[in-house]
Amino acid sequence: MPISKINKGKKAGKYRVRIQPRDEHTWKVIPVPSQVADNYRAAKALYEKMWVDFRSNPHGNYQELSQPLVQSYKSFIESEHKLGRWQSATTYKAWTYTIRLLKDYFGDKKVKDITETDIRQFARNYVQKHHASVAPHTTIDRQLQNIRCYFSSLDKIVKILFL
């Protein structure tokens, strides 16, 4: 039910409005935060507005999605490094190696254009090019973990899920 009355809590008596759009490729629900309206009439108007906003920009108003993947990933790494996320220089070096791999494979492709198939092709290309094996704790496994962590930091607004 897209519009429901709130019975308990601080917002009791108001109406919660939510939409549940689905990805056209995977048919998974795209998370969109619900909103609250004071009355039913306002809730109906808010419901329509939420759909219009979503259709006009299905990925939200995030600048990261319109940037090239390499640039956005690099800024993510630098911000995490400044916050002291990695204690070891080796870990930081592994994350920066991922930048080089992404630049070689994706070039200037934007974040919003990356799909699950692209990531699979990236992994297969890496394995073929480097004559590597696919197993836990291998280089490609680490790179995919790093990429997965980056995409999950985008608050799950990206339409793909990883392997």
Side-chain angles (χ1 to χ4, degrees):
M1 191 86 175
I3 300 173
S4 58
K5 189 169 186 173
I6 303 171
N7 295 323
K8 296 180 182 180
K10 277 195 247 183
K11 298 178 181 178
K14 295 184 180 187
Y15 291 85
R16 181 173 320 282
V17 181
R18 69 178 188 157
I19 61 171
Q20 291 186 308
R22 293 194 176 265
D23 186 329
E24 61 190 45
H25 300 294
T26 62
W27 290 101
K28 294 184 179 182
V29 173
I30 299 171
V32 176
S34 64
Q35 296 182 15
V36 177
D38 291 331
N39 56 43
Y40 189 78
R41 187 175 190 179
K44 283 174 53 175
L46 181 60
Y47 177 74
E48 294 299 324
K49 182 183 178 304
M50 288 173 71
W51 272 112
V52 168
D53 290 345
F54 177 79
R55 286 185 183 118
S56 66
N57 193 4
H59 302 295
N61 295 322
Y62 296 93
Q63 285 184 333
E64 294 93 6
L65 296 179
S66 12
Q67 292 180 348
L69 175 65
V70 176
Q71 180 183 354
S72 180
Y73 185 79
K74 187 174 184 177
S75 65
F76 168 74
I77 289 174
E78 295 305 322
S79 66
E80 292 294 315
H81 185 62
K82 286 179 185 175
L83 293 173
R85 177 173 180 176
W86 304 297
Q87 301 300 320
S88 169
T90 308
T91 306
Y92 178 68
K93 187 176 178 183
W95 279 80
T96 54
Y97 177 63
T98 308
I99 294 173
R100 201 168 73 203
L101 292 176
L102 292 175
K103 184 181 265 185
D104 289 344
Y105 187 77
F106 289 109
D108 290 336
K109 195 168 187 179
K110 295 185 180 186
V111 176
K112 66 181 177 183
D113 298 331
I114 303 294
T115 63
E116 185 177 356
T117 306
D118 294 332
I119 299 298
R120 282 191 187 138
Q121 290 291 28
F122 163 74
R124 288 183 182 128
N125 183 20
Y126 179 87
V127 168
Q128 184 179 21
K129 185 177 177 183
H130 293 87
H131 305 289
S133 62
V134 179
H137 308 295
T138 58
T139 305
I140 188 61
D141 182 49
R142 174 166 289 160
Q143 304 315 314
L144 290 174
Q145 286 175 4
N146 292 349
I147 294 168
R148 189 178 300 121
C149 181
Y150 161 71
F151 278 113
S152 67
S153 74
L154 294 177
D155 297 326
K156 300 179 183 177
I157 57 170
V158 180
K159 64 181 177 182
I160 59 177
L161 295 174
F162 285 91
L163 310 171

